[in-house]
Amino acid sequence: MTGQNTLVFATNNAHKLSEIRRIAGDSIRILSLADIGCSDDIPETGATLEENSMIKARWVKDRYGYDCFADDTGLEVDALGGEPGVRSARYATDGHDSAANTALLLKNLSGVSHRKARFRTVITLIEGDTANIFTGEVEGEITSKPAGCGGFGYDPVFRPEGWNKTFAEATAEEKNAISHRGRAVAALIEYINRH
Ligand code: ITT
């Protein structure tokens, strides 16, 4: 491992951190915000996943000086016009209450038979003066009730296309192999390995 592959991951979500560390394996040394003494609640004021991802990465680069990357993820539900989308973390409340978010999603879809949805992840990498964006998506549908206790967030109600179980019923390896985040991180690693 070399120093140039050390990056800060600008997230306050411990689930994302452990998921991305697992996906990246030995290819990148990933420091957390705690590792660099940052306990900021980074404001997410953007109107898109791209903007929020950039805001989080810029925050760390500008204030702490580290090369870093950030992940912004949204669940886009067709029958809800793409909601909760960029508001996925704050769908039901101002906080990050996954149980409340999931309950509101199921309530808003009650009686709706078209339940197609996708997770979309945007990763912004800032190295020196250069910013690059990597994306990943996975198609699926919203189930009628939660199932499984793995994963996090909306995983108990998201069944990927072609699967007969939710992300929360899958192993970490099964989820990461096809997930929005797994795909975005694969693109990030491929880029890092080329440079
Ligand atoms: P950071 O901004 O600090 O990275 P966050 O939890 O606020 O963490 P987002 O702004 O990207 O992350 O919010 C995305 C929302 O979608 C949040 O409620 C997550 O629980 C949920 N989410 C993100 N990735 C997910 C995944 O892989 N599976 C299920 N839900 C996910």
Side-chain angles (χ1 to χ4, degrees), residues 11-13 16 44 56 73 96 152 155 175 180-181:
T11 186
N12 284 308
N13 183 325
K16 280 189 187 176
E44 294 187 43
K56 289 186 270 191
T73 294
H96 291 64
F152 65 99
D155 280 345
K175 177 184 173 187
H180 44 301
R181 185 164 299 104

Side-chain angles (χ1 to χ4, degrees), residues 9-16 19 33 41-42 44 49 52 56 70-75 84-91 95-98 101 119-122 151-156 158 167 175-176 179-181:
F9 180 25
T11 186
N12 284 308
N13 183 325
H15 297 287
K16 280 189 187 176
E19 209 169 89
L33 291 180
D41 186 13
I42 304 174
E44 294 187 43
L49 299 178
N52 276 340
K56 289 186 270 191
D71 157 322
D72 207 52
T73 294
L75 176 64
V86 72
R87 298 194 305 118
S88 292
R90 298 168 301 280
Y91 190 40
H96 291 64
D97 184 339
S98 290
N101 286 340
F119 275 117
R120 201 160 73 81
T121 289
V122 177
F152 65 99
Y154 296 93
D155 280 345
F158 185 84
F167 265 156
K175 177 184 173 187
N176 294 341
S179 80
H180 44 301
R181 185 164 299 104

Side-chain angles (χ1 to χ4, degrees), residues 20-155:
I20 284 198
R21 277 192 166 140
R22 196 176 187 125
I23 295 167
D26 287 338
S27 46
I28 321 172
R29 179 166 167 255
I30 297 172
L31 301 181
S32 67
L33 291 180
D35 289 333
I36 61 164
C38 169
S39 55
D40 307 344
D41 186 13
I42 304 174
E44 294 187 43
T45 51
T48 61
L49 299 178
E50 283 77 3
E51 282 177 24
N52 276 340
S53 171
M54 179 66 79
I55 287 169
K56 289 186 270 191
R58 267 268 150 253
W59 182 282
V60 169
K61 182 67 183 170
D62 290 350
R63 288 169 178 73
Y64 297 85
Y66 290 89
D67 286 350
C68 65
F69 66 98
D71 157 322
D72 207 52
T73 294
L75 176 64
E76 301 172 345
V77 180
D78 287 353
L80 300 176
E83 290 246 300
V86 72
R87 298 194 305 118
S88 292
R90 298 168 301 280
Y91 190 40
T93 69
D94 273 351
H96 291 64
D97 184 339
S98 290
N101 286 340
T102 301
L104 179 61
L105 180 65
L106 291 181
K107 180 165 166 266
N108 288 344
L109 284 176
S110 67
V112 175
S113 57
H114 178 73
R115 303 178 76 92
K116 230 174 155 336
R118 73 204 50 77
F119 275 117
R120 201 160 73 81
T121 289
V122 177
I123 289 178
T124 298
L125 168 69
I126 301 185
E127 289 176 301
D129 295 335
T130 308
N132 277 288
I133 280 183
F134 307 91
T135 61
E137 289 186 19
V138 60
E139 298 283 336
E141 58 181 24
I142 305 302
T143 56
S144 56
K145 55 181 188 338
C149 51
F152 65 99
Y154 296 93
D155 280 345

